[in-house]
Every structure is written in C-alpha cells, then in structure tokens.
C-alpha cells in the first residue's frame, strides 16, 4: 500500500524556505534537519524565488555557488 502524502501548511513551507535563504545552509542540510524530502524543499525554494518572495542577496548567491561547487566536485570524483 502506498504511503499517505504529507501535507505541510504555508507557515512551515515559508519557514523552511527562510532557513535556506537566510542561514546559508544548503537545501540538503535543511531538508535533513526538518525531516522532509530534499526535492520537495528545492521546489518550495524555487517557487518562492520565481514569485519574488525571496530577495536576491548574498545567501542566494552563496547557495548557487555551493550547488555549483558540489556539482563540479561530484563530476570530478566520477572521472
């Protein structure tokens, strides 16, 4: 039997997005801390950024650079 989908209220979603954007933690770290799926949190952050709810600032740039670094690091380790 399939698992029942969990529903998160808007306040929880906004808080999770705020943690990612204001603390400089990666989406993966925050998702693990909150016990939610990384892809779910990434979609919330992406949606908030597109909606303009998250201001472009140092934290956003830091997150972008961290993702880029991790991607390159993973690519190099596979080579």
């Amino acid at each position: 039997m399939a698992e029942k989908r969990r529903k998160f209220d808007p306040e929880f979603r906004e808080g999770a997005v705020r943690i990612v954007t204001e603390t400089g933690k990666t989406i993966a770290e925050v998702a693990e801390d909150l016990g939610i799926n990384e892809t779910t949190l990434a979609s919330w952050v992406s949606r908030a950024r597109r909606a303009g709810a998250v201001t472009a600032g140092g934290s956003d740039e830091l997150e972008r650079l961290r993702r880029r670094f991790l991607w390159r690091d993973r690519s190099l380790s596979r080579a």
Side-chain angles (χ1 to χ4, degrees), residues 10-45:
E11 292 82 18
F12 181 84
R13 292 179 189 187
E14 291 167 11
V17 169
R18 198 173 316 114
I19 292 170
V20 171
T21 59
E22 294 178 3
T23 65
K25 285 186 168 184
T26 65
I27 290 174
E29 290 171 327
V30 175
E32 184 177 344
D33 291 346
L34 296 176
I36 61 176
N37 187 292
E38 183 178 342
T39 305
T40 301
L41 179 55
S43 72
W44 296 347
V45 171

Side-chain angles (χ1 to χ4, degrees), residues 49-65:
R49 287 180 176 153
R50 283 192 311 260
V54 178
T55 59
S59 296
D60 291 336
E61 179 68 8
L62 181 60
E63 177 65 21
R64 185 185 67 76
L65 292 171

Side-chain angles (χ1 to χ4, degrees), residues 73-79:
D73 188 45
R74 288 179 185 146
S75 294
L76 290 174
S77 67
R78 292 180 188 158

